[in-house]
């Protein structure tokens, strides 16, 4: 639908933004869309994760921590829909395990 495409374009724009607070808004929007429109997310999971996996390895620790926390919630919401992106997720999460920041490491 047009509304779905607009939501996805907004999501991509926020996740790719220069400012860390805007990227955090994008991560929050992704969680909201998972809760309110899981079919939209499931249908576009590969394209969405092309953008989202970058936030799991974000240079700003607040963005990275929020992305990891949101990923944990998304896993319960999307379950099998994550299968096409599982390898990329594991690679992204593995990099975060080496973080010296306790919040990122815990997330």
């Amino acid at each position: 639908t047009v509304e779905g495409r607009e939501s996805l374009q907004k999501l991509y724009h926020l996740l790719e933004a220069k400012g860390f607070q805007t990227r955090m808004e994008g991560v929050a929007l992704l969680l909201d869309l998972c809760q309110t429109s899981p079919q939209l997310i499931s249908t576009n999971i590969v394209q969405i994760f092309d953008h989202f996996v970058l936030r799991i390895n974000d240079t700003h620790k607040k963005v990275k921590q929020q992305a990891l926390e949101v990923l944990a919630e998304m896993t319960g919401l999307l379950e099998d829909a994550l299968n096409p992106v599982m390898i990329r997720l594991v690679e992204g999460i593995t990099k975060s395990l080496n973080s010296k920041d306790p919040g990122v490491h815990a997330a």
Side-chain angles (χ1 to χ4, degrees):
T1 66
V2 172
E3 184 179 310
R5 281 194 303 269
E6 289 174 356
S7 295
L8 291 175
Q9 287 303 320
K10 180 179 179 181
L11 175 65
Y12 300 153
H13 175 73
L14 292 173
L15 289 174
E16 294 177 347
K18 290 192 188 286
F20 82 92
Q21 292 172 326
T22 307
R23 292 193 308 272
M24 288 179 73
E25 286 178 39
V27 172
L29 175 59
L30 178 56
L31 178 58
D32 182 59
L33 290 172
C34 286
Q35 294 167 336
T36 60
S37 305
Q39 186 62 41
L40 175 67
I41 301 302
S42 297
T43 303
N44 297 283
I45 195 78
V46 173
Q47 297 89 336
I48 290 168
F49 272 77
D50 284 346
H51 301 274
F52 179 68
V53 80
L54 299 173
R55 301 300 57 96
I56 293 172
N57 296 304
D58 201 281
T59 56
H60 198 283
K61 69 179 182 178
K62 288 183 180 180
V63 178
K64 183 187 298 190
Q65 182 176 344
Q66 182 183 8
L68 289 166
E69 290 168 355
V70 164
L71 177 60
E73 290 186 56
M74 288 171 51
T75 302
L77 295 169
L78 299 177
E79 298 175 350
D80 291 340
L82 291 173
N83 287 345
V85 294
M86 196 57 67
I87 292 171
R88 294 191 62 209
L89 282 178
V90 170
E91 290 170 348
I93 293 167
T94 302
K95 292 176 184 176
S96 296
L97 290 175
N98 296 325
S99 176
K100 292 181 176 34
D101 182 86
V104 170
H105 189 77

